[in-house]
Amino acid sequence: MTLTAHPEAASAADTLARWSQEPLEFRPEMERIDDDEADVAIAIGRTMRGIAETVLHDQGQAERGVHAKSHGIVIGELRVHEGLPPALAQGLFAKAATYSVVMRLSTIPGDVLDDRVSVPRGLAIKVVGVPGERLPGSEGDVTQDFLMVDAPTFGQATPREFLQGLKGLAATTDKVPALKRGLSTFLRGAEKTLEAVGLESALLKTLGGHPNTHILGETFYTQLPLLYGRHIAKLSLAPVSDHLLALKGVTLDAFEANGSPNPLRDAVIDHFQHHGGQWELRAQLCTNLQGMPIEDGSVTWSESESPYVTVATLDAGLQDVWSNGRVAQVDLGMSFSPWHGLAAHRPLGALNRVRKPAYEMSAKYRAQANGQVIREPRSRDDLPA
């Protein structure tokens, strides 16, 4: 298979020449556990539970504690490239193969907001039919989840900072929606002013200042590191087909004009009624812990020192991304967690560790409250037609 080079990522063919240093091999002592980590993890779980309880009380249905609102369920195929350098031919990517995938597009709050409250966007990918040694809690499954957001860094450096941000979201869950829409308009203007001088604010975007642009034009990132076989990596998913690239920076004005509270979802539905899409899944390997730390989620890893390298291609064709069957089977009947997967891709760092019990609690609470069984798919037959 010929690997296509794009300006945003290195191809496997020139990877060795572009790494400033050899990728590091992971050692357990590279992770650090603070004395209060367990207490913070409990508090994060309680806060997410509180968000879910508020939404259940107000709307009659339990939602995810974060990334509650979905904008489309996309079914596709992931093709792992052949001929990857040994450092990249690890875990899921150890050999050329094709897997079925389901992608869930979302936004980050735990309440179901009008899309005119513009906040950061998420993408959860579930790869189906993956063999190999499993992470604790996913024994017997054959899926690999990658959770991504449309920014390269997490925004908070530590679990305690994450907890404080989550408490802020909890305090405003299901409150004054009209005020949130007005505030979002103001914050988008403030963020645009910052970006005009080469700056940006993760806080402004989280509060509603994210540019209200087409979600399918975004590049998504795992933000936090994970094992990549012997190595350490972050992953990204970038649009590469012409119809997706044409959506970068495109506003949702045409979809907002009809007054729908779901212009993001309407835009995704419209796209897949007329076009498919192709993305590249890319890996960025850690080459030094000083500039590419495991335990600080706020640091952007330098792409000049270690570029994102394409390791797989994801294709999706024409489809109905919001059918009743998909909503019931995937949006309600599946959970996504960075801890669903292979031991070769174990999430690394404190921010990932504290999310594990919170995500498990969220899925269990949602299933019990809704009377819904949550299942992991085992083959393409378990995904919507």
Side-chain angles (χ1 to χ4, degrees):
M1 178 183 294
T2 300
L3 303 185
T4 303
H6 293 272
E8 300 87 351
S11 69
D14 67 359
T15 296
L16 295 178
R18 293 185 60 181
W19 276 328
S20 62
Q21 303 177 55
E22 283 294 305
L24 295 177
E25 292 202 4
F26 174 77
R27 302 188 309 276
E29 60 266 27
M30 292 176 173
E31 290 188 278
R32 183 188 71 248
I33 300 177
D34 291 333
D35 293 340
D36 66 346
E37 184 174 304
D39 293 335
V40 174
I42 291 170
I44 288 171
R46 287 174 176 167
T47 305
M48 288 180 61
R49 173 68 175 257
I51 292 172
E53 288 175 343
T54 298
V55 173
L56 174 62
H57 177 269
D58 293 348
Q59 302 183 21
Q61 178 172 288
E63 302 287 353
R64 291 163 170 84
V66 289
H67 293 274
K69 187 171 184 179
S70 175
H71 306 292
I73 307 297
V74 182
I75 306 299
E77 282 192 342
L78 183 74
R79 294 181 289 109
V80 176
H81 292 181
E82 60 185 351
L84 295 175
L88 290 166
Q90 302 280 323
L92 174 65
F93 311 98
K95 61 181 181 180
T98 299
Y99 300 98
S100 295
V101 300
V102 56
M103 299 188 289
R104 180 181 184 267
L105 295 153
S106 64
T107 37
I108 65 170
D111 47 349
V112 181
L113 297 170
D114 187 311
D115 288 347
R116 287 166 290 188
V117 182
S118 187
V119 290
R121 289 79 184 273
L123 173 64
I125 303 172
K126 190 178 291 290
V127 187
V128 183
V130 180
E133 181 186 353
R134 306 293 304 175
L135 287 166
S138 70
E139 297 90 346
D141 295 333
V142 291
T143 51
Q144 172 66 55
D145 291 1
F146 297 119
L147 274 60
M148 302 183 174
V149 176
D150 63 339
T153 55
F154 192 73
Q156 291 92 27
T158 66
R160 187 161 289 281
E161 289 181 14
F162 175 46
L163 173 60
Q164 293 307 117
L166 196 62
K167 286 181 176 179
L169 289 177
T172 63
T173 297
D174 276 2
K175 292 184 179 175
V176 288
L179 179 60
K180 287 181 180 179
R181 289 196 295 270
L183 179 62
S184 181
T185 300
F186 170 78
L187 293 175
R188 287 202 299 269
E191 177 63 23
K192 187 175 182 180
T193 300
L194 283 177
E195 293 180 0
V197 294
L199 303 172
E200 61 180 8
S201 169
L203 177 59
L204 288 185
K205 289 182 178 181
T206 299
L207 294 175
H210 189 288
N212 209 8
T213 49
H214 203 303
I215 193 170
L216 294 177
E218 306 282 1
T219 295
F220 293 87
Y221 303 84
T222 56
Q223 298 188 321
L224 299 173
L226 65 155
L227 278 180
Y228 195 95
R230 300 189 308 273
H231 302 289
I232 307 157
K234 294 184 179 183
L235 303 181
S236 76
L237 190 78
V240 294
S241 57
D242 290 341
H243 287 298
L244 292 180
L245 290 172
L247 299 176
K248 182 176 175 60
V250 171
T251 64
L252 298 175
D253 295 346
F255 295 96
E256 291 182 335
N258 63 8
S260 167
N262 307 309
L264 274 173
R265 185 182 300 161
D266 296 342
V268 175
I269 291 170
D270 179 76
H271 176 85
F272 281 100
Q273 286 176 342
H274 300 93
H275 310 290
Q278 184 177 83
W279 296 259
E280 287 181 352
L281 186 61
R282 300 167 177 172
Q284 182 187 32
L285 297 187
C286 177
T287 56
N288 77 87
L289 290 178
Q290 288 69 43
M292 308 170 80
I294 290 175
E295 297 290 356
D296 187 340
S298 67
V299 176
T300 301
W301 289 9
S302 170
E303 293 186 45
S304 63
E305 294 186 25
S306 178
Y308 278 95
V309 183
T310 301
V311 294
T313 299
L314 199 161
D315 288 285
L318 296 174
Q319 55 192 287
D320 181 357
V321 300
W322 199 248
S323 67
N324 290 337
R326 289 195 181 196
V327 173
Q329 188 172 347
V330 178
D331 209 43
L332 300 179
M334 288 186 192
S335 64
F336 295 84
S337 167
W339 293 88
H340 288 167
L342 298 175
H345 297 306
R346 177 173 68 82
L348 297 175
L351 282 163
N352 270 320
R353 291 192 297 272
V354 297
R355 291 198 297 170
K356 185 177 188 295
Y359 275 54
E360 290 171 349
M361 175 281 304
S362 178
K364 184 177 181 180
Y365 175 77
R366 183 164 55 93
Q368 291 175 340
N370 294 337
Q372 178 84 40
V373 177
I374 293 180
R375 295 186 176 90
E376 285 293 294
R378 301 197 63 81
S379 71
R380 177 64 182 85
D381 293 340
D382 294 329
L383 300 180

